[in-house]
Amino acid sequence: MSGSTSIVIFGASGDLNHRKLLPALFNLYRKKRIPENFQILGFATRDWDDHKFRTEMEAAAVQFCTFDYSYDEWLDFSEHLYYMSGNFTNPDDFEVLADRLQQLESGPSDRMFYLASAPRFFLPIVQELGRLGLVDEAEGKRRVVVEKPIGTDLASAHALNEGLSQVLKEEQIFRIDHYLGKESVQNLLVFRFANAIFEPIWNRNYIDHVQITVAEEVGVAHRAGYYDNVGVLRDMFQNHLIQLVSLVAMEPPANFEADSIRDEKVKVLRSIRPITIDEIATETVRGQYRGYCESPGVAERSQTETFAALRLYIDNWRWQDVPFYLRSGKKLAEKCTEIAIQFKCPPVQMFPLPQDFEMTANILGMCIQPDEGIHLKFEAKVPDTAAETRSVDMEFHYRDSFGETSIPEAYERLCLDALQGDATLFTRAGAAELSWKFIDPILEAWKSPNGPPLTSYEPGSWGPDEAHEFLSSEGRWWIRTCGDHAVQVIDPLKK
Ligand SMILES: NC(=O)c1ccc[n+]([C@@H]2O[C@H](COP(=O)([O-])OP(=O)(O)OC[C@H]3O[C@@H](n4cnc5c(N)ncnc54)[C@H](OP(=O)(O)O)[C@@H]3O)[C@@H](O)[C@H]2O)c1
């Protein structure tokens, strides 16, 4: 039986801890979800002491908590916060860490180490933890949360996973993709597998195509130096978009346990058809917003993509020949993440359509953010007409059904799951590598003469014209389903 729970945050003075982690842990404490006897020990180079750390974190809580901040609750919580100044590259500092943990813990304790550091420190930190036996499980659970990114390509992801596996068992490693902590992403599983009416039509017989959009309004801002070496394909597709594809496309798992769900997701990743160098120009679009190269920290003639669209296929019985269109970019018209499932049109057009009108397909829109919910677009008869039809929208919004404050931050769910050892929403080593296996050849092909040109687009638009032609050449359009748009098919001329 463990005496207490220790949470060690490597990179505790950084942006992630200020904006996401500490507020999430504070809210879990308010909700009495973390064990009563706990300590949070921050580790970073800054020359702070416990008092200064508490003061800094209080300011962060005031600024970033999405719930009503209460000073009394903060005071109680802050008594559990400690800090030590140390360097990830100095082995002596880890000896100090070990002593500090022993002082803080009342007997055998569970420990969660959170790697909120730059990725180049992930392995050195874990190796030090291993060297000092801090992750041995003889006296309690030892879990390590690894932030994104897991590598920058297949080789580096594999090297990181290999290095981690030399110190930790796979069940001790929690690779985070904060998208999976969002309620509306988790609801994808509930929607698909807790309802009987969707699964029978969730396949190539009824679905025409699937679209996934992850759009950001912001540009690169203070991340320019990092982003210019990365681009949208690594930053968004390799993790978030591919995760969403696997949740939409996976088979029903045997049960709701981590391994069952992760097994099914991996099967999807294994079935994604690679995009070959000969297909690269027709299956992908890459763009850069105008003005990107003038951003401080970006190379003068940078070829880094800030927008990408691609078409992928999943070669299995359920999805053969159903295109999945993915797009993501910066400086787009709106911030939104959404999935649109466009169904096939009825086989027979029974009702008269005005001239030049085409039959409208049913669309299921799943809004991940900002307006979490589900829209179903279907046809209805216009009153007082013989048989005129019009598309209408049936909506579910989280905020209406469950209240505005019921949606926790993704990091809250993920921190709690990691503390409890539930790996369902975390990425396994193999999944991260399979995803890179799909992305790497695209990045490689983009460098070749066969690759599509780097197109440009206006900030505040929906991306380059080529991304619209990409779909319109097949008689399809990008679909918006979130917020005020309520399942609207964007006319390409008004994009
Ligand atoms: N920020 C986000 O919203 C966000 C979102 C998703 C994922 N992430 C991931 O989270 C990780 C951290 O990101 P971040 O934005 O928080 O970075 P950050 O603001 O640059 O913070 C880095 C932290 O690491 C510490 N650090 C740097 N070098 C160190 C060293 N040699 N020894 C000890 N401490 C050292 C810094 O401490 P000092 O400044 O005191 O030296 C600081 O606390 C990254 O892997 C990132 O990809 C971040």
Side-chain angles (χ1 to χ4, degrees), residues 11 13-16 19 44-46 86-88 116-117 121 147-148:
S13 60
D15 181 62
L16 179 69
R19 290 195 306 114
T45 60
R46 232 158 279 197
N87 199 307
F88 302 145
S117 69
F121 294 121
E147 257 301 335
K148 74 163 203 178

Side-chain angles (χ1 to χ4, degrees), residues 279-295:
E279 296 163 337
I280 198 73
T282 54
E283 302 305 293
T284 69
V285 173
R286 61 189 188 119
Q288 188 185 81
Y289 64 79
R290 294 201 179 95
Y292 170 74
C293 289
E294 281 85 68
S295 316

Side-chain angles (χ1 to χ4, degrees), residues 314-453:
I314 298 169
D315 287 333
N316 65 18
W317 278 59
R318 188 187 283 264
W319 295 111
Q320 193 68 34
D321 295 332
V322 177
F324 281 64
Y325 299 98
L326 316 185
R327 66 172 169 168
S328 179
K330 288 201 173 288
K331 284 263 185 202
L332 296 182
E334 268 172 60
K335 175 185 166 77
C336 72
T337 300
E338 54 188 60
I339 299 165
I341 314 280
Q342 178 160 332
F343 291 90
K344 292 185 174 173
C345 286
V348 176
Q349 172 52 40
M350 201 183 293
F351 305 103
L353 281 173
Q355 208 183 351
D356 297 333
F357 267 63
E358 282 184 12
M359 229 172 184
T360 317
N362 299 141
I363 293 169
L364 180 70
M366 309 173 100
C367 304
I368 311 295
Q369 66 178 12
D371 179 22
E372 293 94 340
I374 288 172
H375 297 256
L376 179 64
K377 177 183 163 183
F378 59 94
E379 297 304 291
K381 179 178 174 294
V382 178
D384 204 18
T385 64
E388 198 180 315
T389 62
R390 191 184 305 157
S391 299
V392 293
D393 182 24
M394 199 153 72
E395 302 177 35
F396 152 70
H397 297 277
Y398 262 86
R399 61 166 189 271
D400 297 340
S401 301
F402 300 110
E404 196 77 58
T405 54
S406 63
I407 305 177
E409 286 287 308
Y411 274 92
E412 221 179 289
R413 167 91 263 144
L414 296 170
C415 284
L416 184 62
D417 284 0
L419 278 168
Q420 295 177 340
D422 180 349
T424 310
L425 302 177
F426 295 84
T427 312
R428 260 193 327 219
E433 291 180 30
L434 279 168
S435 181
W436 279 119
K437 206 170 162 189
F438 173 68
I439 295 292
D440 267 7
I442 301 175
L443 288 166
E444 205 45 47
W446 277 356
K447 290 188 214 148
S448 81
N450 291 2

Side-chain angles (χ1 to χ4, degrees), residues 9-21 43-48 83-90 93-94 114-122 125 146-149 176 178 222-223 226 235 240 411:
I9 300 174
F10 293 105
S13 60
D15 181 62
L16 179 69
N17 192 40
H18 276 82
R19 290 195 306 114
K20 298 289 180 189
L21 283 184
F43 184 119
T45 60
R46 232 158 279 197
D47 190 18
W48 289 349
Y83 180 84
M84 66 161 281
S85 168
N87 199 307
F88 302 145
T89 56
N90 184 358
D93 291 342
F94 286 83
Y114 199 115
L115 308 185
S117 69
R120 69 180 183 285
F121 294 121
F122 291 167
I125 294 172
V146 187
E147 257 301 335
K148 74 163 203 178
I176 222 162
H178 70 269
H222 67 282
R223 290 179 77 218
Y226 162 81
D235 195 44
H240 309 324
Y411 274 92

